[in-house]
Amino acid sequence: MSGALILWAHALTALLFGTLGLAQLRGGQGANWGLGRWAHRAFVAALFATSLWALAVAGIDARDVATRIAESVRNIAWLLFMMALVRHDRVGSVSLGAVYGVVMIIAGGSAVLAVVQLAPLDADARVALESARLVFRMMAAVSALVLVHHVYQAAPASRGGVRLVMLAVAAMWGVDLLLFAARYVQGDWSTGLMILRGVAMAGVAVLLAIAVHRRGDWTLALSRPIAVRALSAIALVLYAGATALATSIAASYAGGSLRIVQTAIVFGATAAVLALIWTPWLRAWTKVKVAKHLFRHRYDYRAEWQRFTDTLGKPGADAESLETRVVKSIADLTDSPGGLLLVPDNAALVMGTGWNWTAGSDGPPHEELARYLSEDARIVELDGVRAGTCSADEAASVPDWIRACPEAWAIVPLVHGGALVGAIVLARPPVDRALDWEDFDLLRVAGRQAASYLAEDRAHAALADAARFDEFNRRFAFILHDIKNLVSQLTLVARNAERHADNPAFRVDMVATLKDSSDRMNALLARLSQHGPVRNEPLQPIDVGAIVDRVAAGRRAQHPVAAHTIAACALGHVARLEQVLGHLVQNAIEASGAGDAVLLSVETIGDHVAIDVVDRGCGMTPGFVRDHLFRPFVSSKPAGFGIGAFEARQLVHAMGGTLEVTSREGEGTRFRILLRVADRLEAAA
């Protein structure tokens, strides 16, 4: 079974490398791929040499001399390709060319020793030659890996395909080195590693195909998650290989304790992996090292920005506040375990919301920090402040309680529109490190974005406060208008009392007017004491005729008012209808002459009850009725507030009715209130 796996794995490798070589021959000169002619030819030769070697392993045997010679030819072909790359990019030297020559001699020396083994020799000589040949092969693999690293580092960043090819070649020689080391220690070939070698070479062919899939240059953009997963897979393979190698070595030397030693090896390797997975510090350290040595940038900006905006825009399971989410989103960028938001208070910064912040934060407000961050908007690295390597202004701006807190790592200003809306103190990450240019750039941009969220949230809060004040001011304006009407009413009563004080009927009306004015003033005080908008009350059947008669009787002491009513029941509110009629009657009295009576009438029109307030005063123009009558604070009267008609229409609409106006300049005005008729069931209820 294992022999079949070796056969099929290497046969697949031969097919893949051969197909890739043919595709390169059809693709034209190396200039089409961003390479020189010789580098391209060397690449094609290396592909065919690898295909022939894999075919020999599958069809003959890995231990046959022809296969061993093919392996040396394969290694020399790849070394020639690498040297051509170095020459093409002009990053090599004469001494480097000599190094390549030495490594090629070592690779060819193993083939020579394989041929020598064909001669009739005794057993000891054969063992010595085999051991020497293994040493040569390991030396060639190690030297080739060093040269691969040099080419990888020397390749320009714009030629990511070349780097990917070097990673593939490094995987090839790395598996070879692992196989040769196991053979040297065990004294025999490991079938499992032979199978792994074939599978790994097939993967190398796939990587090479990906690297050259685009014409014009050798570029490939791998996302960081895919790259990390690929590295994780390689690490798992190496882990499995190292564990297998260790157990194989134990089989040669452990003797009777073999089972115990192998169990200890597997247990120790598993414990090491679990420690890496579950230890936060070790995980963070690994992440830092991988980002530092394997990637051009520390951060995957696309992934970081998506996580940043998701944290800001989506409250967590605990319904975190926006300020908490702002701190968390900034802290997550640098793997900081916590943070503290400082918010402006007049000219100083004071402690605000914290996220996983356990350090002390009981310092007084500090104006110097707010001033410094407002002027420079620079990120403050606190280790530099403690070490005294920063500027004098920066050192003086940091409060003593932050300086004395060892967990405080950096201060990120939150600036929006040139104004400081806050600052975030970041806790020290699990793996301590100094901030670099990538940290500063990312934190600066993220700080501005977070500041815009905070500024918008505070603007919304200010608008909500303004809306509450607007509601209070609107209610107060209505009440002030009602007070003006009451003053006008009492003034007319006082004026008429001088002429009609002896009239018993007038005195009765005057008492009724004074009582009505007192009740209305108490109602105004009650309305002013409300802290929110008037809640919608359910509509109730009301006796419209009785209400109109009551309003007319209360106003006769100040001006002639006539009422023609019928028994009519409508849906509405008694207090609101009285208030509407009070506004309209007062406006009619003020627009009428001293002897011109104001008419109030009630009639039923279809399914509505119509209440008319008619005067023969100066009237209004159509333009004023259309554009200004129902606008607040616009009035045709010199001492008017422009509130009465506006509030009257608002109250009528609240009762589900409509308010119509008919007016002619010089002839008078009619206001008509239309309320829905209450049916019998509603009236009975």
Side-chain angles (χ1 to χ4, degrees), residues 6 61-64 68 71 130 133-134 137 175-176 178-184 186-194 197 248:
I6 295 174
D61 187 15
R63 291 162 290 190
D64 189 83
R68 294 173 178 178
E71 179 185 312
E130 181 65 21
R133 199 175 68 83
L134 277 175
R137 296 168 82 180
V175 173
D176 283 354
L178 184 63
L179 178 67
F180 301 152
R183 168 71 176 83
Y184 186 81
Q186 293 182 158
D188 196 5
W189 294 102
S190 171
T191 304
L193 289 178
M194 289 289 291
R197 189 188 198 190
S248 300

Side-chain angles (χ1 to χ4, degrees), residues 73 87 148 154 192 194 216 274-275 348 358 367 455 469 514 534 554 572 615 617 638:
V73 173
R87 293 296 186 185
V148 166
M194 289 289 291
L274 292 177
T358 58
E367 297 184 1
F469 274 109
L514 292 175
V534 178
D615 68 72

